[in-house]
Amino acid sequence: MENQLAKLTEERTFQYQDSLPSLPVPSLEESLKKYLESVKPFANEEEYRKTEEIVQKFQSGIGEKLHQKLLERAKGKRNWLEEWWLNVAYLDVRIPSQLNVNFAGPAAHFEHYWPPKEGTQLERGSIILWHNLNYWQLLRKEKVPVHKVGNTPLDMNQFRMLFSTCKVPGITRDSIMNYFRTESEGRSPNHIVVLCRGRAFVFDVIHEGCLVTPPELLRQLTYIHKKCHSEPDGPGIAALTSEERTRWAKAREYLIGLDAENLALLEKIQSSLLVYSMEDDSPHVTPEDYSEILAAILIGDPTVRWGDKSYNLISFSNGVFGCNCDHAPFDAMVMVDISYYVDEKIFQNEGRWKGSEKVRDIPLPEELIFTVDEKVLNDISQAKAQYLKEASDLQIAAYAFTSFGKKLTKNKMLHPDTFIQLALQLAYYRLHGHPGCCYETAMTRCFYHGRTETVRSCTVEAVRWCQSMQDPSVSLHERQQKMLQAFAKHNKMMKDCSAGKGFDRHLLGLLLIAKEEGLPVPELFTDLLFSKSGGGGNFVLSTSLVGYLRVQGVVVPMVHNGYGFFYHIRDDRFVVACSAWKSCPETDAEKLVQLTFCAFYDMIQLMNTTHL
């Protein structure tokens, strides 16, 4: 009886979905006021006055009409933004998404029981896979804990997209196929796909009603590894997923037209729980230097990762692991959650499997053999060539700053996330001599199907503080005051954005309403300051806090003359990963990271100054 009661009171992963509030539409006046403030750092007086006039005209004219239409739309939808965001931010994008949209990160096990070591790839792989499959089972049973802020539950819908999910290319717009079901909803696919040396294999992870064990997984992985290392490489169909979206869509249509069986094989990959990639490389990694491992995970061999898959679990020859994920179905916090779960399990078990070594008589993996011709092989080699050319242009600098971390900043009453954001603003200002428009991710998951909002970190207050740090005539006291004002502003913006009171998604909604109604694009969106301040996806700093756990990630810059900047925060350190394009002469990821670290010292020094 007690057990039954416990089951009744146990929270289920998706139980609050129906009771979450709808995503609100902010006030037009407030959004435009915030927008005007955000363009100030990038305008001279004349430019600002012109933009101010454009905004006033928009507010009293077409803007009000569009806003009313947006309110109408919101009445009929629990999340007025969801479908639009998915299409505009991800599915309509035609540039190759594997490199330009996906996010990637290393598994943190190298910091404790699994330092890089040749000859461990298969055994460790069987253990890490097994823990991932346990998480999959927890999710199917709805036993993954609900994320909360205080007592307020957050939207968990993105967790449905972690397993058995894949983007499918379209000529003008891609689509997302999701095959995952909870146990109460019915059957869910239970096979995984393994990619190795241009070949693809598949096997079930449930045998006679039970999850396969690490020794059984080891047998399957060893079989595939031996086969691929003693026979010629496969054609590497997976490389097609790294291609420009419309080209990949056409190549896929051709592949299916060649042989109907090819479609069944593609669907096998699409519906698989995850793709497990076996790489031959041995990237260098230490707890202080993540640069090489992040590059290997983000831009490794395109023939052994399926770029459209929501989860590629990547293994390297030296027993180091990571993931590469399509960004369309979910944001990084889903990956952070499973990565942390797996890392904790590996840590608790000292990196070993402590169960039975018995191996049941399980069917061997089956190879997925595609019918190909000269055209397909040519498409593959073209895809590989364009991918490797673009990937070779990427610079990644990723290091741990170990002098202090969250503990000290909190001790100084400084919010650690804001601390890093302002340090980055100062670093950019020092490197480039002017402010850098910056996108920081805020999450809106307290609303139904909420995902993200933009925090524009480059505020008037932040710029004033940066200027004071470069002006020797400004006193320490004044610098400290300006810094604290910049902190207060940033903290308020983050709070507002998470509460649905940001303005970037609101402006996007107004623009899309105009487009849907066949109206001309309002002047607000064609004004030079709109793009100069980051609007329309033009932020030179694309940043995100990965979290407060041992999990790190990386993305490419949003624009050619910009930076991607992901970081995580721990008690004793800050770990940052910065990317830039080598072909841009103005940017330098290494320098920006070093200057950010210098800014950390300067900021703490300011707070240590007692003779103010």
Side-chain angles (χ1 to χ4, degrees):
M1 182 65 184
E2 273 179 19
N3 277 350
Q4 282 176 323
L5 280 173
K7 275 181 185 160
L8 285 172
T9 56
E10 204 174 74
E11 282 188 337
R12 296 184 325 282
T13 306
F14 304 112
Q15 83 174 56
Y16 297 110
Q17 290 304 113
D18 292 339
S19 59
L20 289 166
S22 299
L23 184 72
V25 177
S27 121
L28 181 64
E29 190 185 346
E30 278 298 305
S31 286
L32 293 175
K33 193 174 139 195
K34 287 172 182 173
Y35 167 66
L36 263 181
E37 211 172 302
S38 78
V39 306
K40 267 186 189 164
F42 311 98
N44 60 34
E45 273 182 46
E46 195 185 325
E47 286 169 335
Y48 182 74
R49 221 176 15 255
K50 188 186 166 213
T51 298
E52 202 172 26
E53 278 169 26
I54 291 169
V55 167
Q56 280 163 1
K57 194 171 129 195
F58 179 79
Q59 189 174 337
S60 55
I62 188 66
E64 183 53 42
K65 292 186 181 75
L66 296 173
H67 183 66
Q68 289 310 317
K69 286 184 188 294
L70 186 56
L71 290 171
E72 277 305 307
R73 176 188 169 92
K75 278 181 195 168
K77 293 177 184 283
R78 290 188 63 195
N79 188 315
W80 57 267
L81 177 67
E82 182 179 15
E83 185 189 338
W84 275 345
W85 180 250
L86 194 58
N87 291 337
V88 173
Y90 302 111
L91 304 182
D92 293 341
V93 174
R94 297 292 88 196
I95 57 171
S97 58
Q98 184 171 326
L99 182 61
N100 294 293
V101 180
N102 286 24
F103 59 84
H109 330 309
F110 68 84
E111 289 201 34
H112 45 85
Y113 289 104
W114 285 0
K117 186 184 176 191
E118 290 301 328
T120 60
Q121 182 179 21
L122 298 173
E123 190 188 345
R124 288 178 180 180
S126 68
I127 294 171
I128 195 174
L129 247 182
W130 186 74
H131 287 303
N132 272 278
L133 295 173
N134 274 304
Y135 187 96
W136 167 69
Q137 285 198 319
L138 288 174
L139 198 57
R140 287 210 67 216
K141 294 178 200 297
E142 290 198 63
K143 288 188 173 176
V144 169
V146 179
H147 289 187
K148 293 183 178 182
V149 170
N151 293 320
T152 308
L154 300 178
D155 186 275
M156 295 294 285
N157 182 61
Q158 292 179 50
F159 283 80
R160 288 183 170 277
M161 305 292 172
L162 174 55
F163 297 107
S164 300
T165 302
C166 197
K167 191 165 64 186
V168 175
I171 300 297
T172 57
R173 172 179 287 171
D174 299 344
S175 54
I176 291 175
M177 301 295 289
N178 175 243
Y179 306 82
F180 175 81
R181 300 289 176 271
T182 62
E183 279 185 0
S184 62
E185 290 166 346
R187 206 190 155 276
S188 203
N190 59 23
H191 63 281
I192 70 164
V193 166
V194 178
L195 299 180
C196 182
R197 294 201 165 182
R199 297 166 76 175
F201 298 82
V202 64
F203 63 86
D204 285 348
V205 296
I206 300 287
H207 182 67
E208 294 170 348
C210 293
L211 191 61
V212 290
T213 63
E216 290 164 346
L217 287 165
L218 178 58
R219 195 197 76 158
Q220 305 292 63
L221 297 179
T222 304
Y223 169 81
I224 293 167
H225 193 266
K226 274 187 178 162
K227 201 168 170 56
C228 292
H229 283 70
S230 60
E231 295 171 9
D233 289 0
I237 292 284
L240 293 172
T241 66
S242 70
E243 192 46 285
E244 187 271 343
R245 301 309 295 167
T246 303
R247 276 207 290 273
W248 162 216
K250 288 175 180 171
R252 186 177 181 275
E253 281 178 5
Y254 181 83
L255 196 60
I256 293 163
L258 204 56
D259 185 343
E261 182 57 23
N262 283 345
L263 175 60
L265 301 182
L266 286 167
E267 285 176 341
K268 211 57 172 166
I269 295 169
Q270 286 163 200
S271 61
S272 66
L273 279 183
L274 53 80
V275 165
Y276 184 81
S277 306
M278 287 188 187
E279 291 253 16
D280 292 333
D281 285 354
S282 296
H284 169 77
V285 63
T286 70
E288 285 73 45
D289 185 352
Y290 291 63
S291 305
E292 205 176 298
I293 182 72
L294 279 169
I297 296 163
L298 187 64
I299 53 177
D301 180 355
T303 67
V304 292
R305 61 258 317 258
W306 200 265
D308 293 345
K309 199 75 182 133
S310 59
Y311 190 5
N312 288 275
L313 177 55
I314 299 166
S315 69
F316 292 96
S317 177
N318 57 350
V320 172
F321 298 84
C323 65
N324 187 303
C325 308
D326 174 34
H327 206 331
F330 58 75
D331 299 314
M333 56 79 206
V334 175
M335 210 60 235
V336 170
D337 201 79
I338 185 171
S339 301
Y340 181 66
Y341 167 87
V342 172
D343 189 47
E344 283 292 286
K345 293 294 177 192
I346 288 170
F347 187 77
Q348 286 161 16
N349 292 288
E350 299 163 330
R352 298 201 304 272
W353 163 246
K354 295 178 178 179
S356 165
E357 292 298 325
K358 184 174 172 279
V359 175
R360 293 170 291 174
D361 187 20
I362 291 173
L364 286 169
E366 170 199 338
E367 185 164 9
L368 304 179
I369 300 173
F370 286 85
T371 302
V372 298
D373 64 5
E374 273 309 306
K375 179 181 164 16
V376 174
L377 293 174
N378 190 40
D379 284 347
I380 291 168
S381 82
Q382 208 179 329
K384 273 161 65 173
Q386 73 80 24
Y387 175 79
L388 294 170
K389 183 179 180 236
E390 198 181 350
S392 68
D393 189 32
L394 192 67
Q395 176 198 20
I396 293 175
Y399 304 105
F401 173 87
T402 55
S403 299
F404 56 83
K406 180 177 80 172
K407 214 169 170 182
L408 182 64
T409 57
K410 293 205 80 149
N411 186 19
K412 301 286 179 192
M413 311 292 281
L414 301 173
H415 193 294
D417 173 62
T418 311
F419 183 84
I420 292 183
Q421 284 290 329
L422 289 175
L424 175 60
Q425 282 297 317
L426 181 56
Y428 184 92
Y429 192 87
R430 283 171 169 170
L431 183 57
H432 294 280
H434 57 83
C437 56
C438 181
Y439 172 117
E440 184 189 2
T441 312
M443 62 150 198
T444 52
R445 287 175 58 215
C446 50
F447 302 106
Y448 178 78
H449 287 194
R451 286 189 66 167
T452 60
E453 177 56 275
T454 304
V455 173
R456 295 196 179 196
S457 307
C458 187
T459 59
V460 170
E461 289 82 353
V463 174
R464 280 183 192 142
W465 170 63
C466 290
Q467 288 166 341
S468 78
M469 293 297 283
Q470 296 303 92
D471 182 351
S473 69
V474 178
S475 72
L476 290 175
H477 174 70
E478 202 179 326
R479 285 178 183 178
Q480 190 200 59
Q481 291 312 301
K482 285 188 187 319
M483 183 176 83
L484 294 177
Q485 283 160 9
F487 263 91
K489 179 59 178 282
H490 191 94
N491 295 346
K492 185 181 184 315
M493 284 194 309
M494 180 56 84
K495 201 174 165 188
D496 280 354
C497 288
S498 302
K501 292 176 186 167
F503 66 85
D504 271 276
R505 303 292 182 269
H506 186 192
L507 292 184
L508 174 67
L510 299 174
L511 173 63
L512 294 176
I513 287 271
K515 284 186 175 175
E516 281 187 6
E517 297 281 324
L519 299 165
V521 173
E523 196 183 357
L524 181 123
F525 302 101
T526 57
D527 175 33
L528 179 69
L529 278 186
F530 181 73
S531 52
K532 206 174 167 187
S533 63
N538 286 293
F539 292 97
V540 295
L541 290 166
S542 173
T543 76
S544 196
L545 164 65
V546 183
Y548 294 87
L549 307 166
R550 256 194 317 258
V551 182
Q552 183 55 37
V554 69
V555 289
V556 302
M558 200 182 276
V559 288
H560 187 251
N561 64 331
Y563 299 92
F565 196 93
F566 269 32
Y567 52 93
H568 79 261
I569 293 167
R570 298 190 219 170
D571 280 349
D572 64 342
R573 68 188 54 204
F574 301 123
V575 181
V576 307
C578 183
S579 62
W581 297 110
K582 294 174 191 168
S583 56
C584 176
E586 304 148 42
T587 55
D588 187 330
E590 287 279 347
K591 277 187 185 167
L592 189 67
V593 170
Q594 295 314 319
L595 284 169
T596 303
F597 288 179
C598 290
F600 290 162
Y601 287 119
D602 289 346
M603 291 164 78
I604 285 297
Q605 199 62 48
L606 269 189
M607 295 308 289
N608 285 343
T609 311
T610 46
H611 54 280
L612 295 173

